[in-house]
Amino acid sequence: DRLPKIAPSILSAEFADFGRECEAIEAEGADWVHVDVMDGHFVPNITFGPPLVRAIRRHIRTVMDVHLMIAPVDPYIGAFADAGADVITAHAEAGPHLDRTLQAIRAAGCKAGVALNPATPAEAIAHVMDRIDLVCVMTVNPGFGGQSFIPAMVPKVARLREMIGDRPIHIEIDGGVTPETAPLVVAAGADVLVAGSAVFKGGSVGRPGPYGANIRAI
Ligand code: DX5
Ligand code: ZN
């Protein structure tokens, strides 16, 4: 199937219309749906939790890629898994026991991802590669959509590609992905691209935007 996969982030969707928005992006070519969970503690913003994942689950069939920008993580893994998450990604910086967290995500029946903030080196995954199905490279500082891509992250993508070799681990890029920045990270080895503002621009309540064109442009 087509690579790179495109995972629109609902952080940039119309919050008053999540069901319709998710149906629209799925119908118009989204490979995954990226759900940005923020707790106002690990990141300076608050979004939504398991109830929203459960609500969206009823509207789409495709992969729900849940990005937990929360600390602690472990107490909430079960609730997100029960709500219908397919992939649960925890931040390497969210606590001292990443290996245990990743085991708990898989034990809950989900694919396990680890997200790396911009300052966190690729080597942070060196000793958990057997525990993960995905590494998410933050190409912005987490908390908000619509920020600018951090070019210094491109070498980190290449380093991860080298470390991962032929292991079945996705390299996901998250933040500031546009038609201009996407080729840089795909060339470096990324295979899943999260995009919020680049996909949802132009939409509003009751009037989904040109999502298909925005998705295909990336
Ligand atoms: C930021 C989130 C990203 C963000 C991407 O904390 O993790 O997924 O929504 O939004 P854009 O694509 O607009 O940078
Ligand atoms: Zn995200």
Side-chain angles (χ1 to χ4, degrees):
D1 49 5
R2 183 192 69 185
L3 284 179
K5 294 184 188 296
I6 306 297
S9 161
I10 63 167
L11 183 63
S12 298
E14 172 49 59
F15 271 46
D17 224 348
F18 275 126
R20 183 208 297 259
E21 294 276 86
C22 289
E23 287 172 4
I25 56 173
E26 183 176 43
E28 298 199 44
D31 296 294
W32 295 1
V33 172
H34 186 80
V35 181
D36 282 313
V37 178
M38 301 181 187
D39 66 358
H41 168 62
F42 183 71
V43 292
N45 196 0
I46 298 174
T47 54
F48 29 69
L52 187 82
V53 171
R54 187 177 302 277
I56 292 174
R57 183 74 279 173
R58 293 195 296 271
H59 289 267
I60 58 172
R61 300 173 56 80
T62 194
V63 170
M64 286 185 75
D65 170 36
V66 177
H67 177 193
L68 297 183
M69 289 161 275
I70 69 175
V73 175
D74 293 13
Y76 302 97
I77 293 169
F80 281 104
D82 291 347
D86 296 295
V87 181
I88 295 178
T89 297
H91 268 262
E93 309 86 359
H97 302 298
L98 177 60
D99 185 285
R100 180 185 294 142
T101 295
L102 295 169
Q103 290 190 61
I105 292 170
R106 279 185 167 167
C110 296
K111 299 277 190 195
V114 56
L116 306 178
N117 281 333
T120 303
E123 281 65 23
I125 71 161
H127 305 292
V128 291
M129 286 203 273
D130 293 341
R131 305 280 197 211
I132 60 174
D133 306 289
L134 175 145
V135 56
C136 174
V137 180
M138 295 308 301
T139 39
V140 296
N141 287 292
F144 304 92
Q147 300 181 91
S148 296
F149 178 90
I150 302 172
M153 293 300 107
V154 176
K156 186 194 294 189
V157 177
R159 174 70 184 126
L160 285 164
R161 184 75 272 159
E162 186 183 14
M163 291 171 68
I164 287 166
D166 57 5
R167 292 180 179 84
I169 298 174
H170 290 293
I171 299 180
E172 182 177 61
I173 307 300
D174 193 4
V177 171
T178 64
E180 291 70 40
T181 60
L184 300 174
V185 291
V186 171
D191 63 302
V192 182
L193 306 181
V194 174
S197 45
V199 168
F200 284 102
K201 64 187 179 188
S204 65
V205 179
R207 193 175 58 80
Y211 300 145
N214 290 344
I215 290 170
R216 285 187 297 279
I218 293 170

